[in-house]
Amino acid sequence: MTTATETPKSPSPATGDELREQVRAAAGRARVAAVELALATRRHKDDALHAMADALRSRVAEVLAANEEDLATGRAAGLSDALLDRLALTEKRVAGVADGLLTVADLADPVSEVLRGGVLSNGLELRQVRVPLGVVGIVYEARPNVTVDAAGLALKSGNAVLLRGSSSAERSNEALVAVLRDALAASGLPRDTVQLLPCHDRASVRHLITARGLVDLVIPRGGAGLIAAVVEQATVPTIETGVGNCHVYVDAAADLDQALRIVLNSKTRRPSVCNAAETLLVHADVAEEFVPRVVGEFRTAGVTVHGDERVLALAGGAGVVPATEADWDTEYLSLDIAVGVVDSLDEAIGHIAAHGSGHTEAIVTSDVRAARQFTARVDAAAVVVNASTAFTDGGEFGMGAEIGISTQKLHARGPMGLAELTSSKWVVWGDGHIRAES
Amino acid sequence: MTTATETPKSPSPATGDELREQVRAAAGRARVAAVELALATRRHKDDALHAMADALRSRVAEVLAANEEDLATGRAAGLSDALLDRLALTEKRVAGVADGLLTVADLADPVSEVLRGGVLSNGLELRQVRVPLGVVGIVYEARPNVTVDAAGLALKSGNAVLLRGSSSAERSNEALVAVLRDALAASGLPRDTVQLLPCHDRASVRHLITARGLVDLVIPRGGAGLIAAVVEQATVPTIETGVGNCHVYVDAAADLDQALRIVLNSKTRRPSVCNAAETLLVHADVAEEFVPRVVGEFRTAGVTVHGDERVLALAGGAGVVPATEADWDTEYLSLDIAVGVVDSLDEAIGHIAAHGSGHTEAIVTSDVRAARQFTARVDAAAVVVNASTAFTDGGEFGMGAEIGISTQKLHARGPMGLAELTSSKWVVWGDGHIRAES
């Protein structure tokens, strides 16, 4: 109970059991919404996406005011400038996420797509069609734009979504979800297509990821710790996303000017994202020429090089420190890179197998055989020849906004868009067919 | 230690730690084999499948002798006739599983199939291709034919397989695996494509399903208890298979002769398998005519009817007992069926949503609208119009031998063949492409 003089901004914190019931009740409402969404036509869903985008633009003041509250709370709590920047919304950023909804509206409806089909020799008609998963939970950190992206992708793929955002973005997420829910209702679709879960207690994550039978999939988006905790403790299906210990291998037959551009772009374009390169491997045949050049460029760009012995010998000095064993396994997410020299393509592939996280691995080479060996033998969500690792991204791959990048092998691998938010079912039509004894 | 006078048929039981190391060492060898298998050509894999089939035929005496040992042990242990029949191999049954390998050889190679692809506006060439999962574990009960089916599907899909069979089939499985491994080696593929895990201790299952990083997927095949234990305790990815509480709904607009044939075939063809019907729902409009007819046929076929009140009123008597609440959730796997009367299509769909296991659900109707509503709204691996539930089977669906029937929504749903044993990767070719700031 709150005292009469207080006007709490949040409801009083729920007890453990109350919180569990809150999460399960939300999941129950999501299931009801999902039944309706599974049958919604493309036209209906696209109209709702347009209504959501329009509402975000027309109610931007409300969203920005809520965001300002989060920013004030964050500044008072001493959040770093980087975190505050991730949290901050502007009219332009809100317009950007609204545009994202329109992009999703333009994508084909994945639901009811026929994946395989035909008529069996006995005359049975068989089709495997895409269907929504049902209820999808997303556990994510600061950025409020994820709230809108996830809602849009879920709606278009016919799923209801349970959003468990960061407490630092609570007001922003509440404002965004209020806008989206009103637009859904105005379009004649269930408000409970999009729901925000309580975010002040880690326990709400636990209740979400153990709601077996109510929740069909939970996708964690955030740091490695969050992802590991969700995947290990969940009893509902989960998809591991986003840990990217990505490599660029510069082959003996590389065009070194091209290699330099690709390595720098892979490392420095946005060091904090999962598709940034964390290790550079250079073939010994070109190391003498390439290592000093690339280290010089890294120095200029403010990148600290963690070099092996040969790198230190070729290009020691300012901005270069000795690599430890741990460096080969580190996802820096910062202006750091591990650099090593290898004696062969095989050694590079072996190093990547031992240390890679299965996200994105690139080779720079002019040698067709080396490129084909690399793409065939490296086991990762994306293997790239003569291009930056930064392209592994749902938007770049033409999926519209992405809901995460899967680094696991089952169900989805790489950027996850609409298709990855679906399951399938077999639809069989007969005319009194019965099966003979075998 | 065994005494000098004993000649143990099995190695002495391993201690807990030894067993763990045995399982993990086998998984490590499987990983090495998987690297080679992923690159094997279709020709090479198909030649090996033919060699395996030939070897099973030429060494059938050895297999049957081993099987006779298992049967003798089983008879001494008092196994039921049904279980002994499941365990028994004959020359004909061995020839049948050998033929299964040839069927798999005839199927297209799933590996390297291009699933999606194109050229992005920036000129990047993008292809999503199928790749093997890597190491697949199968935990299964009595039938030794699963040993061969699983080995064949794994090989063709480029995976190494770890087989954890039943101790009651130990000698048979050992003999079959010895034959398969010799044929693999003679074909120039790794023996460790197929390995048998120790089967005397439940702990070997636990070590298999917790070998994170070594094992890419475990598929449990067997009773509901085995499946639930594996899925709940696993830390490696698993796929739930095979629990089938399947329904047949006879609509108001059904052709009742056709309905009778379909219901009887769905229930009685092979009551012990997961695609057998366990509940019959009859629309009230046709109940007066249909219920007495179908109950009469069930009586003749030796099927016990667990009827609701209206069924008891329409067709009580011998072979009909009152249904309890639990009956609607029971997978009998026997000559029993729950029978209820519903007042509408909606009620039937609601009943199936509440009690179905997501395996196979059938409607019998001549009404297009009812059929379309049923297929759109029922959420199951297979939804069937005017045909028996017995068709949900990898062989019937043209997949060759199946490795199980998934009743979950992620990765695979329904019969699992070669494609379902694969993952994918994105292969990206560029010419020095770097990504612009966004």
Side-chain angles (χ1 to χ4, degrees):
Chain A
M1 292 288 291
T2 55
T3 66
T5 53
E6 279 178 43
T7 310
K9 287 190 173 170
S10 303
S12 19
T15 67
D17 279 355
E18 280 170 11
L19 186 62
R20 180 169 183 278
E21 284 318 303
Q22 272 178 32
V23 171
R24 296 181 67 88
R29 290 191 299 271
R31 287 220 79 75
V32 173
V35 168
E36 195 172 332
L37 286 167
L39 300 176
T41 61
R42 172 176 182 171
R43 171 74 58 89
H44 202 168
K45 293 186 287 189
D46 289 352
D47 286 351
L49 287 165
H50 279 270
M52 286 156 71
D54 291 345
L56 285 172
R57 287 174 198 278
S58 64
R59 290 169 65 179
V60 64
E62 183 180 329
V63 170
L64 295 183
N67 185 245
E68 191 43 57
E69 283 189 64
D70 282 334
L71 289 169
T73 309
R75 277 188 292 262
L79 283 196
S80 70
D81 284 351
L83 279 178
L84 288 170
D85 179 60
R86 285 163 62 91
L87 180 54
L89 291 175
T90 60
E91 189 156 350
K92 193 176 159 209
R93 283 188 178 180
V94 173
V97 295
D99 283 346
L101 294 173
L102 303 184
T103 305
V104 171
D106 284 343
L107 296 171
D109 190 341
V111 177
S112 299
E113 186 192 346
V114 177
L115 298 171
R116 289 186 271 185
V119 179
L120 301 181
S121 57
N122 61 6
L124 271 183
E125 241 179 85
L126 206 66
R127 278 172 299 148
Q128 186 186 31
V129 299
R130 279 195 199 283
V131 296
L133 286 169
V135 176
V136 177
I138 319 278
V139 180
Y140 57 109
E141 290 172 344
R143 292 178 184 271
N145 61 310
V146 173
T147 305
V148 181
D149 289 351
L153 287 171
L155 168 59
K156 182 84 183 213
S157 55
N159 295 289
V161 68
L162 296 170
L163 299 167
R164 202 292 191 178
S166 158
S167 58
S168 65
E170 183 178 21
R171 298 280 163 258
S172 314
N173 287 338
E174 283 172 354
L176 290 166
V177 167
V179 172
L180 299 176
R181 286 167 58 93
D182 287 350
L184 282 160
S187 306
L189 284 175
R191 269 183 203 277
D192 289 331
T193 300
V194 183
Q195 293 182 80
L196 201 60
L197 296 179
C199 62
H200 281 285
D201 193 331
R202 279 257 158 178
S204 65
V205 176
R206 198 179 66 239
H207 298 317
L208 174 66
I209 66 180
T210 55
R212 236 181 125 71
L214 289 174
V215 174
D216 295 294
L217 172 65
V218 171
I219 302 172
R221 287 187 59 161
L226 168 72
I227 293 166
V230 166
V231 170
E232 278 161 29
Q233 292 163 27
T235 59
V236 304
T238 59
I239 290 185
E240 284 182 68
T241 64
V243 174
N245 187 19
C246 306
H247 298 69
V248 178
Y249 163 61
V250 176
D251 187 48
D255 171 333
L256 297 184
D257 294 334
Q258 192 179 85
L260 202 64
R261 285 197 305 277
I262 288 170
V263 169
L264 284 168
N265 185 258
S266 297
K267 177 69 251 179
T268 64
R269 179 181 170 277
R270 277 181 65 194
S272 67
V273 298
C274 59
N275 59 26
E278 306 292 10
T279 295
L280 165 66
L281 300 173
V282 181
H283 192 286
D285 289 357
V286 292
E288 209 168 318
E289 179 182 349
F290 188 69
V291 168
R293 279 182 70 186
V294 76
V295 168
E297 294 281 353
F298 277 145
R299 197 173 281 134
T300 306
V303 176
T304 300
V305 168
H306 302 253
D308 72 2
E309 283 184 15
R310 290 198 268 186
V311 169
L312 295 175
L314 287 167
V320 183
V321 301
T324 63
E325 262 313 300
D327 278 306
W328 309 114
D329 296 309
T330 301
E331 187 188 18
Y332 298 110
L333 299 174
S334 62
L335 287 174
D336 290 81
I337 191 164
V339 182
V341 175
V342 293
D343 289 313
S344 64
L345 173 66
D346 278 357
E347 190 183 336
I349 292 172
H351 182 103
I352 290 167
H355 302 284
S357 62
H359 191 295
T360 300
E361 309 295 356
I363 184 174
V364 186
T365 190
S366 317
D367 176 355
V368 167
R369 201 184 144 278
R372 282 169 48 93
Q373 283 283 316
F374 190 89
T375 55
R377 290 170 53 198
V378 170
D379 191 22
V383 286
V384 176
V385 179
N386 295 337
S388 169
T389 58
F391 288 107
T392 305
D393 174 293
E396 293 295 314
F397 280 18
M399 296 177 179
E402 79 190 11
I403 202 122
I405 295 181
S406 165
T407 52
Q408 66 174 44
K409 291 190 189 173
L410 251 58
H411 186 70
R413 201 177 194 198
M416 295 179 65
L418 295 173
E420 290 73 20
L421 289 173
T422 65
S423 180
S424 62
K425 72 180 168 193
W426 290 96
V427 179
V428 183
W429 287 70
D431 185 24
H433 288 69
I434 60 173
R435 187 169 168 193
E437 283 304 321
S438 60
Chain B
M1 293 287 292
T2 53
T3 66
T5 52
E6 279 178 45
T7 309
K9 285 190 175 171
S10 304
S12 17
T15 69
D17 280 356
E18 281 169 9
L19 185 61
R20 180 169 182 277
E21 283 319 303
Q22 274 179 30
V23 171
R24 295 181 67 87
R29 290 191 299 270
R31 288 220 79 74
V32 174
V35 169
E36 195 173 333
L37 286 167
L39 301 176
T41 60
R42 172 175 183 173
R43 172 75 57 89
H44 201 167
K45 293 185 288 191
D46 288 352
D47 286 350
L49 288 165
H50 279 270
M52 287 155 72
D54 291 345
L56 285 172
R57 288 174 197 278
S58 63
R59 290 168 66 178
V60 63
E62 185 180 328
V63 169
L64 295 183
N67 185 245
E68 190 43 56
E69 285 188 61
D70 282 334
L71 289 169
T73 309
R75 277 187 292 263
L79 285 195
S80 70
D81 284 352
L83 278 177
L84 289 170
D85 179 60
R86 284 162 63 91
L87 179 54
L89 292 174
T90 59
E91 189 157 350
K92 194 175 160 206
R93 284 188 178 180
V94 173
V97 293
D99 284 346
L101 294 173
L102 303 183
T103 305
V104 171
D106 286 342
L107 295 171
D109 190 343
V111 177
S112 300
E113 185 192 348
V114 177
L115 298 171
R116 289 186 272 185
V119 179
L120 302 181
S121 56
N122 61 5
L124 272 183
E125 240 178 85
L126 206 67
R127 278 172 299 149
Q128 186 186 31
V129 298
R130 278 195 200 282
V131 295
L133 286 168
V135 176
V136 177
I138 318 277
V139 180
Y140 57 109
E141 290 172 345
R143 290 178 185 270
N145 61 310
V146 173
T147 306
V148 180
D149 290 351
L153 288 171
L155 168 60
K156 181 84 184 214
S157 55
N159 295 290
V161 69
L162 296 169
L163 299 168
R164 204 292 194 178
S166 158
S167 58
S168 65
E170 183 178 22
R171 299 278 163 259
S172 313
N173 287 339
E174 282 171 354
L176 290 166
V177 167
V179 171
L180 298 176
R181 284 168 59 93
D182 287 349
L184 282 160
S187 307
L189 285 175
R191 269 183 203 279
D192 289 333
T193 301
V194 182
Q195 292 181 79
L196 201 60
L197 296 179
C199 62
H200 280 287
D201 192 331
R202 280 256 159 179
S204 65
V205 176
R206 197 177 69 239
H207 299 315
L208 173 67
I209 66 180
T210 56
R212 237 181 123 71
L214 290 173
V215 173
D216 295 294
L217 172 64
V218 171
I219 302 171
R221 287 188 59 161
L226 168 72
I227 293 166
V230 165
V231 170
E232 278 161 30
Q233 293 164 27
T235 59
V236 303
T238 59
I239 291 184
E240 284 180 68
T241 64
V243 174
N245 187 19
C246 306
H247 297 69
V248 178
Y249 163 61
V250 176
D251 186 48
D255 171 333
L256 296 184
D257 294 334
Q258 193 179 85
L260 201 64
R261 284 196 305 276
I262 288 171
V263 169
L264 284 169
N265 185 259
S266 298
K267 178 68 251 180
T268 63
R269 180 182 170 275
R270 279 182 63 194
S272 67
V273 299
C274 58
N275 59 26
E278 306 291 10
T279 296
L280 165 66
L281 301 173
V282 181
H283 193 287
D285 289 358
V286 291
E288 207 167 320
E289 179 180 351
F290 189 68
V291 168
R293 280 183 70 188
V294 76
V295 168
E297 293 282 351
F298 278 144
R299 197 173 281 133
T300 307
V303 176
T304 301
V305 168
H306 302 253
D308 71 2
E309 283 185 16
R310 289 197 270 184
V311 169
L312 295 175
L314 287 167
V320 183
V321 300
T324 64
E325 261 313 300
D327 278 305
W328 309 113
D329 295 309
T330 300
E331 188 188 18
Y332 298 111
L333 299 174
S334 61
L335 287 174
D336 290 82
I337 192 165
V339 183
V341 175
V342 294
D343 289 314
S344 64
L345 173 65
D346 278 356
E347 190 183 337
I349 291 173
H351 182 103
I352 290 168
H355 302 283
S357 62
H359 192 298
T360 300
E361 309 295 355
I363 184 174
V364 185
T365 189
S366 317
D367 176 356
V368 167
R369 199 183 145 278
R372 281 169 49 92
Q373 283 283 315
F374 190 87
T375 56
R377 290 169 55 198
V378 170
D379 191 21
V383 284
V384 176
V385 179
N386 295 336
S388 170
T389 59
F391 287 107
T392 305
D393 174 293
E396 293 295 314
F397 280 20
M399 296 178 178
E402 80 190 10
I403 202 120
I405 296 180
S406 165
T407 51
Q408 66 175 44
K409 290 190 189 173
L410 251 60
H411 187 71
R413 200 176 195 200
M416 296 179 64
L418 295 173
E420 289 74 18
L421 289 173
T422 65
S423 179
S424 62
K425 72 179 169 195
W426 290 95
V427 179
V428 183
W429 287 70
D431 185 23
H433 288 69
I434 61 174
R435 186 169 169 193
E437 284 304 321
S438 60

